[in-house]
Amino acid sequence: KRAWEDFRLIQSQWTGLSQAEGCRETLLKEGVAASTTDHELQSIEATLHPNHGEFWSSTGSTEDTEECLLYAMASQSVVHFARLAFYRATYQHGDPVYPSLGVSFYVGPSPSQMHLASPVYAAEASDRLQIFPLSHTAPPGSYFAVRFHSRIQRQWEDNQFYIAVRHVSALGKALPAHTLPSLHRAICARNLQWGA
């Protein structure tokens, strides 16, 4: 219990820091890909808007497999914080939440070139909105990904593990247009692919 009280205190401090730094701009434009999807109505697009009735769900698994969600950002951006909320299935017995044990975040210039931008954070087994800081050394990019580590909730009906997410957002700042040519040159000089 004390560990989760400490976790929530840290979460509130991160929330305050994100607001103090002016990181209120939601950078995600659209969902690009999900590692798995349980049903076509439970797509990655459902996570872009904090609607309690819609969510993305992985397929079920009897093994402890990871999952990943990939998003395109509206423009080249620097991401400072990530927010996410897992989904609570109130229509199922016991109102279960389908979280992962941990989460990590990636940023990159293209879907094939993503760079780790955070440690693996512990995630709370709750449907409340959680916030996580990204490394100050994370590169700017056009794409943002969330990796979910370790499934912990079984669905009663089929006894398989799932992860379900109702909201994901990235907070930070879009790069000014006049900085993009120099960023383009720097990326190309390192043989990286410039994202659209």
Side-chain angles (χ1 to χ4, degrees), residues 1-193:
K1 182 177 179 182
R2 177 58 186 274
W4 285 117
E5 290 175 352
D6 291 343
F7 180 87
R8 290 185 174 181
L9 176 61
I10 292 171
Q11 285 276 310
S12 66
Q13 291 172 344
W14 286 343
T15 299
L17 182 59
S18 70
Q19 293 171 348
E21 292 187 1
C23 300
R24 300 178 183 178
E25 184 176 355
T26 301
L27 302 170
L28 304 184
K29 179 179 68 172
E30 62 186 2
V32 175
S35 50
T36 68
T37 300
D38 191 47
H39 189 279
E40 61 182 9
L41 296 179
Q42 300 169 355
S43 73
I44 185 176
E45 292 293 331
T47 66
L48 291 172
H49 309 287
N51 185 332
H52 288 270
E54 297 181 350
F55 61 97
W56 163 82
S57 175
S58 70
T59 55
S61 176
T62 57
E63 300 178 356
D64 186 16
T65 55
E66 295 184 350
E67 295 286 344
C68 185
L69 297 177
L70 175 67
Y71 300 86
M73 293 190 278
S75 63
Q76 292 282 331
S77 303
V78 176
V79 183
H80 295 298
F81 292 88
R83 293 189 304 191
L84 70 86
F86 295 107
Y87 179 70
R88 180 181 296 278
T90 56
Y91 59 89
Q92 294 180 350
H93 177 71
D95 298 346
V97 179
Y98 290 92
S100 60
L101 188 63
V103 293
S104 58
F105 305 95
Y106 294 74
V107 177
S110 71
S112 62
Q113 293 183 312
M114 301 297 290
H115 305 284
L116 183 61
S118 78
V120 177
Y121 289 112
E124 183 178 7
S126 164
D127 62 346
R128 64 192 292 272
L129 196 64
Q130 303 177 52
I131 188 166
F132 303 91
L134 271 64
S135 170
H136 67 279
T137 61
S142 297
Y143 293 87
F144 175 79
V146 187
R147 183 170 294 277
F148 300 95
H149 304 266
S150 296
R151 302 167 182 235
I152 58 176
Q153 180 63 50
R154 290 182 186 267
Q155 183 172 258
W156 182 81
E157 289 84 352
D158 60 9
N159 202 34
Q160 295 196 76
F161 289 102
Y162 290 82
I163 295 173
V165 178
R166 67 176 176 85
H167 182 62
V168 173
S169 58
L171 303 180
K173 297 177 182 178
L175 295 177
H178 70 270
T179 66
L180 297 184
S182 60
L183 178 60
H184 186 186
R185 290 191 296 272
I187 288 174
C188 291
R190 291 166 175 79
N191 295 319
L192 298 177
Q193 180 180 340

